[in-house]
Amino acid sequence: MTSSGMPDRPAGDRPPHTFRTVFPVLALCWLAVFFDGMDVNIYGAVMPHMLDDPGLGLTPASAGTIGSWTAFGMFFGALAAGNITDWLGRRATLVASVLLFSLGSAVCAVATGPDIFGAGRFVAGLGLGGLTPLALAMVLEFAPPGRAALTTGLLMSSYHAGGMAATGIGLGLAPAAGWRAVFWAGVLPAVIAVPLLLKYLPESPGVLLARGDRTRADAVADRYGLPRPTPVQAPAAGARGRLAAVRALFAPESRWATLLLWLASFCGLLLVYGVSTWLPEMMRASGYGLSSSVTFLMVINGGGIVGMFVAGRAADRFGAVRISALWFALTAAGALLLKSQLPLGVTYAVVALTGVWLFSAQVMVYAVTDTVYRDSERAAGLGMVTGVGRTGAAFGPWLIGALAATGSQSWGFTAFALAGLAGAVAIALVPLARRHRGTPGTTPPDGTTPKAARPAAAPEA
């Protein structure tokens, strides 16, 4: 028996490494990211009601600024989560993240003005910042061979399921009980997810090995059918190790690919958070009714769920680079169509299709990143792509808020289209940058994942 209470199985007595054997890990991470998506989308779902509440004193300009506060909280939360993971491990840090964004939702529910409400969104952002990178880290480490893109898509479908839940809660509660009741619903993750994560989620074998616990690392790997981790697969611990890993991203063979990935992530998260925060209000400004405008947020997240499954399977077959670039370009086309005055039924169809492309375009950036770097660099590479992208997450809500303050919300669709085109160009150039800057990595330059390959490490927050 190991110190974790699990039998230390012989190497030849492990279960097969399939989706079935790692289902508990994928399911628990899916649940955590579901609540992440619910929290992020709650603000957009109730913003029209909040703007109509004279007692709160929210204006379009301050609403956009508060949307950016969430992203700033996520940025600092992601930075802090890396060091906390060294100390507590990934499982405990995931739990702390869920508790933080639940606390932030409670602060928002009792806010008496924009300042307190913004503080609540910042606290929520601190928790949200570490959660998605850590959940991605877990599922990529546990992913079956050759299924990195599909596993990433499956995980991130939960974000959009959470977004749909937030919209449903907003439509059901806000008109009758007020917008505060919706934020009280955002406290549910602390009650539902935390006990399940503490009881059933294993610690990362790579993190256990990095902390010197070889016995428990091997035991967890054996239990879930994973290859036992090696030192090169363990994420670097401590600030010094993380700094060395970041410096390796700018080696001659990968420095330009790194910058392109950062730009693609910036554009992708600008789209994700700009749309999640402002789509209902932008559609209302375009002449649609309040209920229809909020429903658009549910529709676009429904499209996002479909997109994750389609993009994941397509990327495993054709390469994450090709799919991400195409999805970004289609997002740009969808944004331009939404700027036009279309019949309501056609608008719903365009919103749904834009959701299919928009959200999975960003997720496939993570899948591309996973193929660019060597095992020892992959954790830092994914973490930095996620972290730099947070600046786009802050810029998007602020930009649309600034446009809304001058009555120019319709220009937001043009901004989204430009971001989509820039993201498409950036991600499409990544293979070219790799071919022209020294020794290629161990994965094909088109972003496909060899069937025998398995991502060994994933992003530290």
Side-chain angles (χ1 to χ4, degrees):
M1 280 289 202
T2 69
S3 58
S4 61
M6 296 179 292
D8 190 3
R9 303 181 184 183
D13 192 30
R14 291 192 293 266
H17 187 191
T18 65
F19 276 117
R20 183 174 181 179
T21 58
V22 300
F23 175 78
V25 177
L26 301 182
L28 288 167
C29 290
W30 194 97
L31 179 65
V33 177
F34 170 88
F35 285 121
D36 179 323
M38 191 178 85
D39 190 277
V40 170
N41 284 272
I42 274 179
Y43 184 38
V46 300
M47 184 188 293
H49 297 279
M50 296 174 65
L51 289 170
D52 291 343
D53 180 358
L56 182 63
L58 193 69
T59 66
S62 61
T65 300
I66 288 171
S68 297
W69 287 0
T70 309
F72 282 122
M74 294 171 76
F75 177 77
F76 290 111
L79 292 178
N83 290 319
I84 294 172
T85 299
D86 291 340
W87 177 36
L88 296 178
R90 281 188 183 143
R91 180 177 62 176
T93 307
L94 269 173
V95 169
S97 297
V98 173
L99 289 172
L100 262 179
F101 71 73
S102 297
L103 173 63
S105 190
V107 172
C108 290
V110 300
T112 56
D115 290 343
I116 296 176
F117 184 86
R121 294 306 292 163
F122 180 81
V123 171
L126 291 174
L128 295 167
L131 190 144
T132 297
L134 286 169
L136 279 166
M138 292 293 288
V139 300
L140 284 172
E141 184 174 11
F142 281 75
R147 291 293 182 263
L150 177 59
T151 304
T152 302
L154 287 171
L155 174 70
M156 296 310 295
S157 70
S158 63
Y159 176 92
H160 305 292
M164 293 181 71
T167 308
I169 293 170
L171 286 169
L173 280 182
W179 60 267
R180 296 180 189 276
V182 180
F183 282 98
W184 280 120
V187 181
L188 289 175
V191 179
I192 298 173
V194 167
L196 293 173
L197 291 170
L198 286 172
K199 186 171 183 179
Y200 295 112
L201 186 68
E203 184 54 271
S204 153
V207 168
L208 289 170
L209 181 61
R211 296 164 69 183
D213 196 341
R214 160 64 73 179
T215 301
R216 288 185 63 206
D218 288 348
V220 173
D222 292 347
R223 181 180 183 184
Y224 291 94
L226 279 64
R228 291 182 173 181
T230 61
V232 73
Q233 294 173 311
R240 181 176 298 178
R242 216 167 355 260
L243 182 60
V246 170
R247 284 199 300 265
L249 306 182
F250 291 92
E253 66 270 18
S254 58
R255 61 176 64 137
W256 292 108
T258 293
L259 294 175
L260 289 167
L261 288 166
W262 288 4
L263 175 59
S265 184
F266 173 90
C267 294
L269 287 175
L270 184 156
L271 287 164
V272 168
Y273 286 88
V275 168
S276 297
T277 302
W278 279 102
L279 181 64
E281 186 61 23
M282 289 170 68
M283 299 306 285
R284 187 166 73 149
S286 297
Y288 297 95
L290 177 58
S291 295
S292 294
S293 297
V294 175
T295 303
F296 284 127
L297 191 59
M298 178 178 286
V299 171
I300 202 168
N301 276 290
I305 293 175
V306 175
M308 292 301 170
F309 288 100
V310 173
R313 294 185 68 87
D316 280 335
R317 181 173 180 181
F318 300 108
V321 167
R322 295 189 183 100
I323 299 304
S324 184
L326 177 60
W327 260 229
F328 268 122
L330 291 171
T331 297
L336 289 177
L337 283 173
L338 289 176
K339 190 175 181 180
S340 307
Q341 294 294 327
L342 302 171
L344 182 60
V346 176
T347 302
Y348 274 122
V350 172
V351 168
L353 287 171
T354 302
V356 170
W357 304 319
L358 186 158
F359 299 105
S360 48
Q362 166 62 23
V363 171
M364 289 304 107
V365 173
Y366 300 143
V368 173
T369 304
D370 190 61
T371 69
V372 167
Y373 301 112
R374 292 183 289 265
D375 288 344
S376 59
E377 302 164 1
R378 192 174 285 131
L382 278 162
M384 288 300 296
V385 165
T386 305
V388 172
R390 298 298 183 201
T391 59
F395 183 70
W398 172 85
L399 174 63
I400 308 305
L403 292 172
T406 62
S408 304
Q409 290 97 321
S410 63
W411 283 98
F413 293 114
T414 303
F416 291 152
L418 291 173
L421 289 175
V425 172
I427 203 68
L429 289 175
V430 168
L432 185 65
R434 288 288 289 166
R435 284 198 295 268
H436 285 266
R437 296 303 301 179
T439 305
T442 58
T443 51
D446 64 354
T448 55
T449 304
K451 291 185 178 180
R454 181 185 68 84
E460 288 300 325

